Amino acid sequence: MEASSSPKLRHALAFTLLAVSSLATLARAQAPQTVGGLTEVPFQRLSSTVVSPLGKAALGIRPAEWKHTETTNFIYHYFQSFIATPVSVEAEFFYRIVAKELEKDTTQWERKSHIFIFEQDADWAEFQKRGSLDPWTGGIHAGGELFIQRNPAQKWKGNTLGHEVAHLVIHRFFGNGVPLWLNEGYAEYAASRGYSAFHRLRGYNSRPRAQAVSAERFIPLAELTQAVSYPADVLQVATFYAESERLVRFLAAANKSGFSAFLTALSQGNGLDSALAKGFAGRFQSLEALEREFKVYATKDHGTTLQD
């Protein structure tokens, strides 16, 4: 049967089709979109929309262009899915590896942490300014949130993500009582091990790498373990990180389960000697005894490659 040629009927039909089309377009805009393995979710439909003042400062940069998604343990805020997808894979991998090594059950933690992924240098510089961050900051963990830069023009992404995820795990399961040297040293240690494992799963012959600490710049353990801020000298900052990583690696190699007990004791306010006694059962009778053994290890050239 031929459709009626009534002008009034044709106008009504056209209006109905336009309305249906508009509703479909609106529904597609509001519905989750699966792109590059991630399902894009409108901000208000995330499992948690509560972000810190620093997170709000991040989302205030090009606010209309942020996209959002989430995985098992994280909520991501990003600009392009092809950048966010590998970040999500790495973050989940590192989170499981670090939590397992520290003997923590991740299934009992229901709240997801937010990860903000910047790409452009100008955006990151603006974020550093708004957040009053040091100009050399390449990534930061703050109060259970991660802020990183992933420049798509750079092939090598560095160890920043693994380092910051390790900070997040420490914060999540041990709180704010972990000393600065241990927090940074463990993050460096975990990132090195994590990336080596991540690359080995993809067929690469990868092992953790670290540089020996210069004997001339070696920081006495009494000074290193009491530090509450980073050294003012830039070269000493590098030494602080390297020596802290070496000390964590040294203690973990001495007794892996004992290291976890040592970390727990320090996070709960125990003094260093008490924590050493709880974690290493008399192996190190004092800080001085520990330093005698550790300094030889820290300043030795291991050929830059360390055993995993």
Side-chain angles (χ1 to χ4, degrees), residues 23-88:
L23 287 173
T25 300
L26 180 62
R28 285 194 299 272
Q30 293 181 341
Q33 303 292 313
T34 300
V35 182
L38 293 177
T39 300
E40 185 182 334
V41 180
F43 181 82
Q44 293 302 328
R45 293 181 59 182
L46 294 169
S47 60
S48 172
T49 58
V50 178
V51 297
S52 69
L54 198 57
K56 291 178 180 177
L59 294 177
I61 298 171
R62 292 200 283 147
E65 299 179 48
W66 284 100
K67 297 179 177 64
H68 320 278
T69 191
E70 55 187 291
T71 56
T72 303
N73 292 293
F74 299 103
I75 293 172
Y76 303 87
H77 309 278
Y78 61 98
F79 292 104
Q80 299 186 84
S81 62
F82 80 92
I83 298 296
T85 297
V87 169
S88 70

Side-chain angles (χ1 to χ4, degrees), residues 101-133:
E101 186 162 285
L102 292 174
E103 302 174 347
K104 297 300 179 181
D105 181 6
T106 63
T107 63
Q108 300 304 309
W109 190 275
E110 298 178 355
R111 287 178 291 160
K112 296 183 179 182
S113 298
H114 292 255
I115 298 181
F116 300 79
I117 308 169
F118 291 83
E119 297 173 18
Q120 298 181 12
D121 291 343
D123 291 342
W124 183 251
E126 178 62 23
F127 173 65
Q128 290 175 317
K129 178 181 176 181
R130 295 189 183 194
S132 300
L133 307 181

Side-chain angles (χ1 to χ4, degrees), residues 22-297:
S22 298
L23 287 173
T25 300
L26 180 62
R28 285 194 299 272
Q30 293 181 341
Q33 303 292 313
T34 300
V35 182
L38 293 177
T39 300
E40 185 182 334
V41 180
F43 181 82
Q44 293 302 328
R45 293 181 59 182
L46 294 169
S47 60
S48 172
T49 58
V50 178
V51 297
S52 69
L54 198 57
K56 291 178 180 177
L59 294 177
I61 298 171
R62 292 200 283 147
E65 299 179 48
W66 284 100
K67 297 179 177 64
H68 320 278
T69 191
E70 55 187 291
T71 56
T72 303
N73 292 293
F74 299 103
I75 293 172
Y76 303 87
H77 309 278
Y78 61 98
F79 292 104
Q80 299 186 84
S81 62
F82 80 92
I83 298 296
T85 297
V87 169
S88 70
V89 173
E90 292 177 38
E92 288 289 347
F93 176 83
F94 296 138
Y95 181 76
R96 292 193 300 272
I97 289 293
V98 175
K100 181 179 179 181
E101 186 162 285
L102 292 174
E103 302 174 347
K104 297 300 179 181
D105 181 6
T106 63
T107 63
Q108 300 304 309
W109 190 275
E110 298 178 355
R111 287 178 291 160
K112 296 183 179 182
S113 298
H114 292 255
I115 298 181
F116 300 79
I117 308 169
F118 291 83
E119 297 173 18
Q120 298 181 12
D121 291 343
D123 291 342
W124 183 251
E126 178 62 23
F127 173 65
Q128 290 175 317
K129 178 181 176 181
R130 295 189 183 194
S132 300
L133 307 181
D134 291 319
W136 46 264
T137 304
I140 185 173
H141 164 263
E145 295 177 340
L146 303 186
F147 304 85
I148 65 167
Q149 183 183 16
R150 276 291 176 97
N151 188 334
Q154 295 178 349
K155 184 176 181 180
W156 166 241
K157 308 304 182 184
N159 291 343
T160 298
L161 180 60
H163 180 101
E164 299 305 332
V165 169
H167 277 316
L168 183 146
V169 175
I170 293 293
H171 175 270
R172 175 169 288 189
F173 295 110
F174 296 93
N176 294 320
V178 178
L180 181 63
W181 74 269
L182 184 52
N183 210 329
E184 294 296 356
Y186 187 80
E188 288 286 284
Y189 167 76
S192 175
R193 287 169 57 84
Y195 272 105
S196 292
F198 188 78
H199 292 144
R200 286 200 301 274
L201 287 174
R202 283 149 181 79
Y204 294 96
N205 182 19
S206 180
R207 288 290 182 270
R209 303 176 68 85
Q211 297 294 326
V213 176
S214 167
E216 293 75 23
R217 289 190 170 276
F218 182 86
I219 304 171
L221 292 192
E223 179 182 339
L224 180 79
T225 58
Q226 293 299 316
V228 294
S229 61
Y230 302 97
D233 179 74
V234 175
L235 292 178
Q236 255 339 57
V237 169
T239 301
F240 178 87
Y241 274 87
E243 188 173 328
S244 296
E245 189 275 342
R246 280 287 178 105
L247 183 53
V248 166
R249 190 180 294 276
F250 179 76
L251 292 172
N255 188 325
K256 187 174 181 180
S257 60
F259 175 77
S260 184
F262 169 76
L263 198 163
T264 299
L266 283 179
S267 72
Q268 294 174 346
N270 284 210
L272 188 63
D273 287 343
S274 296
L276 285 170
K278 290 181 178 181
F280 300 98
R283 163 76 187 275
F284 307 111
Q285 297 293 333
S286 65
L287 185 61
E288 291 75 16
L290 170 62
E291 182 168 310
R292 280 194 297 272
E293 284 194 52
F294 170 65
K295 187 172 183 179
V296 174
Y297 173 85

